[in-house]
Structures are given as C-alpha cells and as structure tokens.
Amino acid sequence: MKLFKILSVALALVFCLAVAGCGEETSNSGARTVAVCFPNTTPSWQRNGDSLQRLLEEENFSVNIQFADTVDKQKGQIAEAMESRPNCMVIGAIDSASLADVLEKAKEYEIPVIAFDRIILNTDALSYYASFDNEAIGDAMGEYFEAALNLKNGGGPYNIELFAGGPADNNAHLFFRNTMAILEPYFKTGQLVCPSGQTDFNSVCTADWNSANARTRMQKLLAEHYADGKPLHAVLSPNDDIAGVILDEIKKAGKPAPLISGLDGDPAAYERIKAGEQTFTIAKDPDVLNAKCVRMIKAVVEGTQPDINDVSTYNNGVITVPAYLCTPQIFDKTNIESAK
Ligand code: BGC
C-alpha cells in the first residue's frame, strides 16, 4: 500500500513536470511572432529595425518586419500582417492620424499594438508607447542654439532659417513647438532674424520628412534671400538626413557652414561633426529604445511587467497611452569621439 502511494505520487509528479515542460516548449517553440511595421528606410529607421529584430530573436521571437513609404502601403502591410495573427504588433506610423481604422481589426483579433517612436492618434487599440522624450528633444535643440549664439546675454543679430519634419508625424510638431518656445522671444528682440520670413510650422515643414523636399526648399531660400551675399548664421534642421542636404546646398552656394542641428546620430552626421560641418546631433540609440520596447512586447505576450516612466503626456485623443520615454544624447565637437 505504502509502495503504491509512493508510486502514485511519483507518477503524478512526472505528469506535472511533463505538462509544465509542454507549456515551456510551446512558448519557446518559435510560435511567438512579432510583426513590425516601420515607416521608411532612412538610416535611422533601418538601424531601429535591425536592432529590434536582433533583440527579439535573442528572446526567441520570430520577427516579420516591413518598411513602407506611403500611407496606403503601410495600411496594406499592417492589414496583411494581422491576418497571420502575430502575438504583438509594433508600429512606427507614417501618418500618426491615419491608422485608427486599420487598427480596429487588431482589437477584433485581440492583437496587442505598441506604438514605436511616433504615437498613433485617435485609437484605443494601443497598449504602450516606446519612444524618446520628443518634447525634451525640441527643448534641447532650442537650448543649444540659445547657448551657442549667446542669446541670453544679448548675442545677435543672427540670420536663421528654420526647417521642421513631416506634418503627418506628431513628433515633428512636438520637436518644432518646443524649440520655438525657446527661440521665439529672440525673434521679438531682433537677436534672431529670419530673412525668408518663414517661421510657422506650415511654411517650414518637410513633407514626409523627405530630404529631397528639404533640398528644393533650401535651394529656393538661398536663391531668393541670400544671393546678395547676406550671411546665413544658423539653420534649424529637424534631423541628420535633412541636415546633410541643407549643408550640401549651402556648400554649393559657396557659403560657410552655419550653426546647424540634427537628430538621430546617423554615422554620416558623426563624420560631418568631426569635419566641422554639422554642429550637433541628438542621438537616439536604437538599442536603448528597443530594450524598453522588447519589455513591453514581453509584457503583452507573457504577462510580465513593462518599464513605464510616463502615464500622462501622450493622450492620443482617445486614451492616454502608458509610455517609456528614453533620454537622447547630444553629440557635438566636444564629445563626438565618444559617439558609438
Ligand atoms: C523620428 C526621427 C526621424 C524622423 C524621420 C521622426 O518621427 O522621431 O528620429 O528622423 O521621424 O524618419
């Protein structure tokens, strides 16, 4: 009888272990898929994609990553990816306000969605938002110009031209709004002068963040406002990709490089900073952002705890999306050798 009891306990134990083992096997068997839909193949999004894929594969997720360059293409990619019922979707939106409809299906299929870098507006289909602190990026750009031009101590007058990112991307508005909150008073005192007169978002934005559009605008600005030899002291550029083409046109016009901003930490920007052409960049290390994003993915797929440090900033018109906002790093000639 005693032996029978011991045997049945042992058998029950073996059964439990087998069941537990099975569970383990299912979650590690590669069945967990993450669909990643990113907006474009500029160097920074390519780096984001490579890093996210690598970190997810290290966690045994299989990754279906796609890049789009038009809103319709991205909507199609999202709709198609959802049909294979991934365990989670990570989306870097081309147009922050245009994905609410397509994401209705995600709710129906119960696929959790994480907004990556750019918030998605007007939908309650979002679980989390992983990004850099976009408002802080705008502040940092403004503060850099303020300090470098000694504006607080009456520096100027300086001629400046302004560029912003794509109007369909919520980030572009946040960057520009926060930078201008710092620079606007100096336009009023006359310490900053904009010879083109183009200082509002709609006049200075760059459709689709497409650097070819920024190049055309820079050519026009130079021809119409600087052909008389007027100096161009400073240019606000919303990212490195656009800073590259602006500098190119300024060089072609035979003018010296102005004080110019950038964003992303593109390798080409690091080279320009070393060469004394671009003044600074605000680097967004993809591994830093993706480590937080992967924790969010694991939270929705495995029920673990994500890292969240903001629960109030990103109201997308329907819900306030819990977010982790990473801290970017500024690189200029004083610390560029430490940029990786
Ligand atoms: C990102 C920037 C990027 C830009 C263009 C923005 O939403 O925050 O890092 O340079 O899009 O792709």
Side-chain angles (χ1 to χ4, degrees), residues 128-142:
Y128 296 111
Y129 176 40
S131 189
F132 278 84
D133 187 336
N134 299 303
E135 297 188 337
I137 288 173
D139 292 342
M141 283 198 186

Side-chain angles (χ1 to χ4, degrees), residues 40 42 44-45 117-118 169 171 175 209 239 263-264 284:
N40 59 53
T42 54
S44 66
W45 282 100
D117 189 81
R118 303 171 174 181
D169 171 14
N171 286 356
F175 299 152
W209 285 92
N239 74 0
L263 171 67
D264 288 335
K284 299 164 68 173

Side-chain angles (χ1 to χ4, degrees), residues 59-308:
E59 297 281 348
N60 293 324
F61 283 95
S62 83
V63 182
N64 166 18
I65 184 162
Q66 303 187 81
F67 297 87
D69 39 35
T70 65
V71 176
D72 285 344
K73 191 164 167 192
Q74 182 165 59
K75 281 186 180 173
Q77 288 176 339
I78 292 172
E80 197 190 311
M82 279 191 296
E83 290 308 318
S84 55
R85 306 290 208 275
N87 298 79
C88 176
M89 294 202 72
V90 178
I91 300 177
I94 290 196
D95 181 336
S96 308
S98 75
L99 297 182
D101 285 354
V102 74
L103 290 182
E104 282 301 299
K105 250 292 169 344
K107 288 196 295 182
E108 187 187 321
Y109 290 174
E110 298 183 351
I111 303 169
V113 178
I114 294 171
F116 186 97
D117 189 81
R118 303 171 174 181
I119 193 72
I120 303 173
L121 300 172
N122 308 326
T123 176
D124 59 358
L126 294 183
S127 299
Y128 296 111
Y129 176 40
S131 189
F132 278 84
D133 187 336
N134 299 303
E135 297 188 337
I137 288 173
D139 292 342
M141 283 198 186
E143 284 159 7
Y144 196 103
F145 280 85
E146 186 179 54
L149 298 175
N150 202 22
L151 296 174
K152 272 188 182 164
N153 300 316
Y158 292 114
N159 294 333
I160 185 169
E161 294 296 338
L162 309 167
F163 284 74
D169 171 14
N170 190 61
N171 286 356
H173 295 268
L174 298 180
F175 299 152
F176 190 72
R177 184 193 71 193
N178 279 40
T179 302
M180 286 307 275
I182 293 169
L183 298 186
E184 233 143 31
Y186 302 111
F187 284 100
K188 295 214 169 90
T189 58
Q191 290 169 267
L192 291 179
V193 178
C194 180
S196 72
Q198 296 168 16
T199 53
D200 65 298
F201 184 87
N202 290 336
S203 321
V204 305
C205 64
T206 307
D208 303 324
W209 285 92
N210 185 333
S211 59
N213 296 333
R215 186 186 289 283
T216 310
R217 180 164 173 256
M218 191 67 227
Q219 286 167 345
K220 212 159 171 264
L221 289 174
L222 286 163
E224 289 176 6
H225 305 282
Y226 296 88
D228 58 359
K230 196 183 286 124
L232 174 55
H233 301 110
V235 178
L236 173 71
S237 163
N239 74 0
D240 290 336
D241 205 28
I242 291 176
V245 299
I246 292 173
L247 280 167
D248 214 30
E249 291 306 316
I250 291 174
K251 201 187 264 180
K252 278 196 224 157
K255 291 190 176 294
L259 167 61
I260 182 166
S261 53
L263 171 67
D264 288 335
D266 284 359
Y270 292 159
E271 291 313 310
R272 289 192 294 267
I273 292 172
K274 286 178 192 160
E277 293 166 0
Q278 185 171 328
T279 316
F280 71 102
T281 183
I282 302 183
K284 299 164 68 173
D285 184 337
D287 286 356
V288 169
L289 176 58
N290 283 320
K292 301 301 174 187
C293 186
V294 169
R295 278 201 48 174
M296 289 173 179
I297 294 167
K298 292 180 86 173
V300 293
V301 174
E302 298 173 358
T304 55
Q305 274 306 307
D307 247 359
I308 295 300

Side-chain angles (χ1 to χ4, degrees), residues 311-339:
V311 288
S312 59
T313 307
Y314 285 93
N315 183 302
N316 74 349
V318 181
I319 52 168
T320 300
V321 189
Y324 194 98
L325 305 178
C326 303
T327 306
Q329 207 183 346
I330 300 182
F331 289 108
D332 65 5
K333 63 174 188 295
T334 64
N335 65 347
I336 190 65
E337 296 306 332
S338 65

